[in-house]
Amino acid sequence: MGDVFEAEDELLGRRVAVKLLHEHFARDEAFVSRFRREAQAAANLNHPNIVSIYDWGQYGDTYYMVMELIDGRTLREIRRSAGALLPRRAAEIAAETAAALTVAHDAGVYHRDIKPGNIMLTPDGSVKVTDFGIARALDDSEELTRTGAVIGTATYFSPEQAQGLPADARSDVYSLGVVLYELLCGRPPFQGESPVAVAYQHVSAWATPASSINPAVPAELEAVIERALEKDPALRYQTAAEMRTDLLRFLRGDAPVAAAATGAATAVVASPPLPPPTVTPDETARHVATPAYEDRSSNVPYVLAIIGLLVVLAAGIFILTRLLSGPAEPELIAVPDLTGQSEADAIEQLQDLGFRIRLRGETSEAVPDGFVIATDPPPGVQVEPNSVVTLVISGGPQQFPVPQLAGLTEEAARALIEEQGFVVGEVTSRLDNDVEEGLVIEQDPDAGEPAQPGAEVDLVISGGPFALTVPDVVSLTEAAATAELEAAGFSVVVEEEFSNEVVEGFVIRTVPGAQQLVGRDNPTVTVFVSSGPEPFELADFVGLSVSEAQELAVALGVELIIDSVPVEVTLASGLADLVASQDPSPGTLVTINDPVRVQLGVVRQIDVPNLIGLTEQEATDLLESRGLVLEVIGEVQVDPDSGLDGRIAGQDPGAGQTLVEGGSVLVQLGVAPPPPDTTTTTAAP
């Protein structure tokens, strides 16, 4: 579908994968519209087993998707290098894949292209499923449907996909069953000379039991595979969650519940399930034969007797109905001329007319791959409804041009060779100063030369130049720099050093430096990684004014933060309106740009005591003990009986109010009026 590049998200500073769609997809408006909707839906999927989609967009005529970058290998690569996997490991991978499918299906997103190439394993063994939504957009493209191209890989198609029918969650379950089968057996259940032949087997043939190919496959796990590979979607696991439950039960050592239930239900039936309607006669005979494992001592004779009575009754009703209604000729339908039409269009027309369909593949020089060569019965023949019409589908010519492989990676070249129906032959390596390491230099046969399917294609892979060029990894993280250097063929030695300019954990420099040549005999690069700024002892800010503290902070390179809440100090401390406290404390080791929080001093507030009724000396002593001053501002006349004569009769501020330390309390002394004169005065005569 496109080319995938490793890239850097400059906004978030992370490595990502960017897929650029091929130009011919960008010209398909139906595909672009579908792809946009599916990409948006897939972007909402959030699960550890699903490759995240970060963004989707358009730049000019180029459509792109930004995805999570996975450091790992696909199941296709692992299976080719390791062969069949151990049953427990294969079940673990399938269970995690089913977990990803469950989340997607719950969100209404169906993958429709589950295959080993779309399942990745990270270095820690975790499973990551990719290309959610892409396969569906590709599958529903009007252009691709119109031309009848095979979507994805026919090896992993469900029967309904192979017949051009709608696919749903159960189609993904079938494909996962094919993947699990391949992991256990080292090959898929169905193989053929062309995609059409493989698709035909998905519809009409039954897979060889996995244990027949790999005796190490347990019966419990084989039951899970058989349930997933049911031709009829109604007989499969109905959800990926059901399949995952059975896989987890197998991993715990328990018997799979859903698979066992299917087997138990089948054992009660008098005859085995009927094969799909499109199988050949010999396959039909094989699949309706009595199974060897059937219990001969069961109630089958009684069941058969009951069925026989029901058949006789039904036949009697049918005959009576025919006698009463009179003979009726069935309405015949002419087989349409489908020659030259795409497989999908032909299937749709036959289904609309009520025919059953059987597919047969043939090679053809005249009819393109995926198009109808002929029908059986021929066009124009009158047949009854529900009759079987065989579509002869072209598999294309027997010889195909060898693809252009020069400049591709070995992995991409291998994949393209196999996708084109050829086989990878001898692979050799050769040093080359002009071709990047790991890319194809030469191929045999040459590109464009015709060859039959199965022909070997030899490859010569570049071993890289005689000397390696050191890439520029300055300002990358230690992990990213190490990965890039190792990918370029270097051995890496990491050392740390202080730096006030480079953030901790990022590369300061390398030795040898960027773009320098290093011989392949000793390709070692020393990477110097910043351990952050060098620490120093923090100075004392206490006693400085705000401006002095700011100047000192700038000189040290620290960030000064002045707390909005002051700290109380005594008048004698002299720290009023000056820095009275700091955090961290003086002498603490700090680095550049570290924050230093200070509080300014404010003279402490003192509660004024009640002085009423005290003598002047008593009030003076009390206030001095609290840091306040007594100031007499006058006298006030009091009642002789109040007891306030010669004592404090009034104060400001009043008791309970506050004053700063050293503040004055103003008081008035009480003065009683003199007693009235009681002497009697005698008037002169």
Side-chain angles (χ1 to χ4, degrees):
M1 287 186 60
D3 298 314
V4 183
F5 297 87
E6 180 180 356
E8 180 179 358
D9 185 334
E10 295 182 341
L11 180 62
L12 300 178
R14 62 183 174 187
R15 310 298 285 177
V16 296
V18 178
K19 173 174 284 190
L20 304 183
L21 295 185
H22 285 160
E23 182 180 354
H24 64 278
F25 287 120
R27 293 196 299 265
D28 183 353
E29 295 182 2
F31 171 78
V32 170
S33 176
R34 180 72 185 186
F35 183 54
R36 179 185 296 111
R37 294 195 302 271
E38 293 299 328
Q40 290 171 346
N44 292 324
L45 301 179
N46 184 14
H47 191 269
N49 296 125
I50 297 178
V51 175
S52 299
I53 296 178
Y54 298 140
D55 195 10
W56 183 95
Q58 176 184 2
Y59 184 81
D61 294 331
T62 301
Y63 292 86
Y64 65 88
M65 178 178 289
V66 184
M67 299 177 291
E68 177 185 3
L69 180 65
I70 303 299
D71 179 16
R73 296 192 299 164
T74 64
L75 273 186
R76 181 176 61 186
E77 298 169 323
I78 294 172
R79 207 273 298 159
R80 287 175 180 170
S81 61
L85 303 185
L86 294 175
R88 285 193 61 82
R89 183 54 182 146
E92 290 170 354
I93 294 172
E96 290 194 46
T97 305
L101 291 176
T102 298
V103 172
H105 295 166
D106 289 345
V109 177
Y110 308 132
H111 196 290
R112 308 213 289 190
D113 194 22
I114 289 295
K115 59 184 179 181
N118 282 335
I119 302 173
M120 302 186 69
L121 292 187
T122 63
D124 64 1
S126 300
V127 172
K128 290 282 189 177
V129 183
T130 187
D131 276 358
F132 270 102
I134 298 177
R136 180 164 185 171
L138 184 63
D139 197 28
D140 286 354
S141 170
E142 291 181 1
E143 178 182 346
L144 293 171
T145 301
R146 184 170 58 253
T147 59
V150 176
I151 310 303
T153 307
T155 303
Y156 308 96
F157 271 3
S158 65
E160 55 268 26
Q161 287 175 283
Q163 296 179 83
L165 301 176
D168 56 20
R170 297 170 297 181
S171 305
D172 286 347
V173 168
Y174 183 93
S175 299
L176 180 55
V178 176
V179 172
L180 180 55
Y181 186 104
E182 181 176 349
L183 293 181
L184 293 168
C185 300
R187 66 171 180 82
F190 303 116
Q191 295 175 303
E193 296 181 355
S194 68
V196 172
V198 176
Y200 171 68
Q201 293 180 65
H202 279 297
V203 176
S204 304
W206 299 89
T208 302
S211 59
S212 298
I213 301 173
N214 181 3
V217 177
E220 296 81 3
L221 189 55
E222 187 171 52
V224 174
I225 297 174
E226 291 176 351
R227 176 76 184 276
L229 294 184
E230 285 284 357
K231 304 297 184 186
D232 185 351
L235 299 179
R236 286 180 216 144
Y237 291 106
Q238 296 302 290
T239 65
E242 286 185 9
M243 183 175 179
R244 180 172 182 268
T245 299
D246 267 4
L247 288 168
L248 294 178
R249 287 185 60 83
F250 163 74
L251 292 171
R252 291 196 302 266
D254 300 331
V257 173
T262 302
T266 304
V268 176
V269 181
S271 59
L274 290 176
T278 55
V279 298
T280 58
D282 60 325
E283 289 172 331
T284 302
R286 174 163 57 86
H287 288 291
V288 299
T290 302
Y293 55 80
E294 182 176 299
D295 185 359
R296 302 294 182 181
S297 62
S298 66
N299 293 325
V300 169
Y302 301 99
V303 176
L304 290 175
I306 294 173
I307 293 176
L309 292 175
L310 292 176
V311 170
V312 171
L313 178 61
I317 295 174
F318 176 77
I319 294 172
L320 179 61
T321 303
R322 292 294 300 269
L323 292 174
L324 294 176
S325 60
E329 292 294 332
E331 182 181 353
L332 301 180
I333 305 174
V335 176
D337 186 2
L338 303 174
T339 304
Q341 294 196 27
S342 70
E343 177 185 346
D345 289 344
I347 289 175
E348 183 178 357
Q349 289 191 44
L350 291 177
Q351 288 175 337
D352 290 343
L353 292 173
F355 292 115
R356 291 184 293 151
I357 302 166
R358 179 178 296 155
L359 300 177
R360 187 174 77 240
E362 289 184 5
T363 59
S364 173
E365 296 287 341
V367 180
D369 183 15
F371 287 75
V372 177
I373 300 174
T375 60
D376 184 16
V381 174
Q382 300 281 335
V383 296
E384 294 183 3
N386 203 35
S387 298
V388 175
V389 175
T390 300
L391 285 175
V392 183
I393 306 297
S394 171
Q398 291 186 346
Q399 285 197 332
F400 302 90
V402 176
Q404 172 65 260
L405 304 173
L408 298 180
T409 64
E410 179 180 351
E411 177 188 359
R414 285 178 176 272
L416 186 56
I417 289 171
E418 294 179 359
E419 287 175 4
Q420 297 290 337
F422 302 110
V423 176
V424 179
E426 183 181 6
V427 178
T428 58
S429 179
R430 187 179 73 206
L431 295 179
D432 192 298
N433 284 330
D434 299 323
V435 180
E436 182 181 343
E437 181 178 3
L439 301 185
V440 176
I441 304 174
E442 297 175 0
Q443 67 182 83
D444 183 26
D446 293 332
E449 184 174 335
Q452 292 184 357
E456 291 189 350
V457 179
D458 298 333
L459 300 175
V460 179
I461 308 298
S462 171
F466 297 94
L468 301 177
T469 302
V470 179
D472 185 2
V473 296
V474 173
S475 298
L476 296 182
T477 64
E478 177 185 342
T482 300
E484 185 168 339
L485 288 168
E486 289 178 346
F490 292 96
S491 299
V492 180
V493 177
V494 178
E495 294 187 8
E496 293 187 350
E497 63 180 30
F498 294 118
S499 174
N500 291 336
E501 290 78 27
V502 180
V503 177
E504 181 180 359
F506 286 76
V507 176
I508 304 171
R509 57 192 173 89
T510 62
V511 177
Q515 306 307 317
Q516 293 190 23
L517 294 177
V518 179
R520 297 181 72 92
D521 55 339
N522 185 25
T524 301
V525 174
T526 302
V527 177
F528 291 88
V529 178
S530 172
S531 57
E534 186 172 4
F536 58 89
E537 291 186 358
L538 184 63
D540 190 355
F541 284 78
V542 174
L544 301 181
S545 65
V546 172
S547 60
E548 291 172 338
Q550 290 172 336
E551 291 177 0
L552 178 58
V554 171
L556 295 176
V558 297
E559 179 186 4
L560 183 67
I561 301 175
I562 300 176
D563 200 320
S564 60
V565 179
V567 60
E568 288 189 344
V569 296
T570 64
L571 189 62
S573 68
L575 295 177
D577 297 325
L578 302 178
V579 175
S581 70
Q582 70 179 76
D583 183 28
S585 59
T588 302
L589 290 178
V590 296
T591 59
I592 290 178
N593 296 325
D594 278 358
V596 177
R597 184 178 296 274
V598 299
Q599 288 179 290
L600 299 180
V602 60
V603 178
R604 66 190 180 99
Q605 298 283 324
I606 301 174
D607 291 336
V608 176
N610 185 9
L611 304 177
I612 303 299
L614 300 180
T615 65
E616 181 178 352
Q617 186 60 47
E618 290 173 340
T620 299
D621 294 342
L622 178 59
L623 291 177
E624 286 181 353
S625 68
R626 300 195 178 190
L628 300 175
V629 178
L630 181 71
E631 182 177 349
V632 180
I633 61 173
E635 297 177 342
V636 62
Q637 192 173 26
V638 297
D639 189 338
D641 297 330
S642 66
L644 296 177
D645 186 21
R647 296 177 179 272
I648 295 175
Q651 69 179 78
D652 184 28
Q657 298 187 35
T658 59
L659 280 176
V660 298
E661 183 181 4
S664 298
V665 180
L666 308 180
V667 300
Q668 292 174 307
L669 298 177
V671 177
D677 189 2
T678 57
T679 305
T680 303
T681 303
T682 304

